[in-house]
Amino acid sequence: MVEPIVFIGDSITEQWGFHRAETFAAYGLIPRGGSGQTARWITMRFRRDLEETGARGVHLLCGVNDIGRNEGFFVPADEIARTIAGMLDEARAMGVKAWVGSIMPAARIPWNPEVRDAPAMIMAVNTWLREHAHEHGATYIDYFSILADSSGALRKAYGTDGLHLSRAGYAAIEPLMLSSLGRGPTGTEAVVTPAPSPWRRRAVGFVIAAAMLAAIAALVLASR
């Protein structure tokens, strides 16, 4: 019997379980999404969701509602990352295997036009997760690269409002999800890394350039 994997997250997860219910039923996946919930709110039910479902695996996907300031205040990207990492650590302590999905691309937050740095915040959290998830016992799954256009926004064909996914959007990322979880047609576990999008190539270039400038600045200060 296939051990269940619980999907914990916000409305992205909630709608995933609704729009692709047949996939969840076929592969032993349990949706536990909560519309509008921030990562901090999700921490309050994280252990309960694991215990109630009896899942030995968890797919965690959250953070965009923190960026959207759903609790009424700004939350830095590093704090969002730390909150997600704390849940991954809790899963590891419980002996539960963990996967963490990238925040989905978005040029803006539909319900909060005051947030003007959503793409940069999303990139910052995703970069941290990509580089550090393994340190917290989790596998990172890069949905962003499949869904983003050249500007880093969600492709129109894959979304409904610029942030939430359509049925086509969920269908586009499901092969990667199933392969990463080891629930694809072959039953073997393999993390598939999509070909880098133009947005991702530019983002990597930006990070490298910033690191070089920081190194140069450090050398200048050291020589004084």
Side-chain angles (χ1 to χ4, degrees):
M1 180 178 179
V2 176
E3 292 188 337
I5 297 174
V6 60
F7 275 49
I8 297 179
D10 48 40
S11 58
I12 301 292
T13 296
E14 183 178 54
Q15 293 180 21
W16 199 344
F18 173 75
H19 288 304
R20 306 293 294 177
E22 67 282 1
T23 298
F24 276 68
Y27 292 99
L29 311 178
I30 305 170
R32 284 292 180 100
S35 181
Q37 293 185 352
T38 63
R40 190 181 71 85
W41 285 342
I42 291 171
T43 62
M44 299 177 189
R45 64 176 172 89
F46 185 76
R47 175 179 285 269
R48 184 180 72 246
D49 283 349
L50 292 179
E51 292 176 342
E52 287 182 353
T53 60
R56 304 312 304 163
V58 59
H59 176 285
L60 181 62
L61 179 57
C62 59
V64 73
N65 289 324
D66 303 75
I67 294 172
R69 306 178 190 178
N70 280 25
E71 293 191 59
F73 52 82
F74 170 76
V75 183
D78 60 344
E79 184 174 331
I80 297 171
R82 284 196 300 270
T83 301
I84 295 173
M87 287 186 275
L88 300 179
D89 288 339
E90 186 167 14
R92 179 165 57 180
M94 295 174 67
V96 175
K97 190 170 184 178
W99 295 263
V100 61
S102 64
I103 297 177
M104 307 302 185
R108 61 182 181 83
I109 303 297
W111 62 90
N112 191 348
E114 293 184 3
V115 179
R116 304 189 183 280
D117 58 352
M121 291 278 288
I122 291 170
M123 184 180 75
V125 176
N126 285 346
T127 298
W128 192 95
L129 292 174
R130 176 187 299 280
E131 295 177 353
H132 299 285
H134 66 281
E135 298 171 11
H136 300 271
T139 297
Y140 174 75
I141 308 178
D142 183 11
Y143 299 125
F144 183 98
S145 293
I146 294 174
L147 299 170
D149 64 17
S150 60
S151 69
L154 178 64
R155 294 179 186 271
K156 291 183 179 180
Y158 292 157
T160 59
D161 59 2
L163 187 149
H164 292 94
L165 302 188
S166 63
R167 287 179 179 271
Y170 287 116
I173 61 175
E174 274 185 9
L176 173 61
M177 177 270 285
L178 291 171
S179 177
S180 298
L181 270 54
R183 306 229 163 156
T186 63
T188 58
E189 183 169 344
V191 178
V192 178
T193 302
S197 65
W199 163 260
R200 182 176 168 190
R201 286 195 294 269
R202 285 198 295 272
V204 171
F206 174 80
V207 172
I208 293 173
M212 292 177 65
L213 288 174
I216 293 170
L219 288 173
V220 171
L221 291 173
S223 65
R224 290 182 177 178

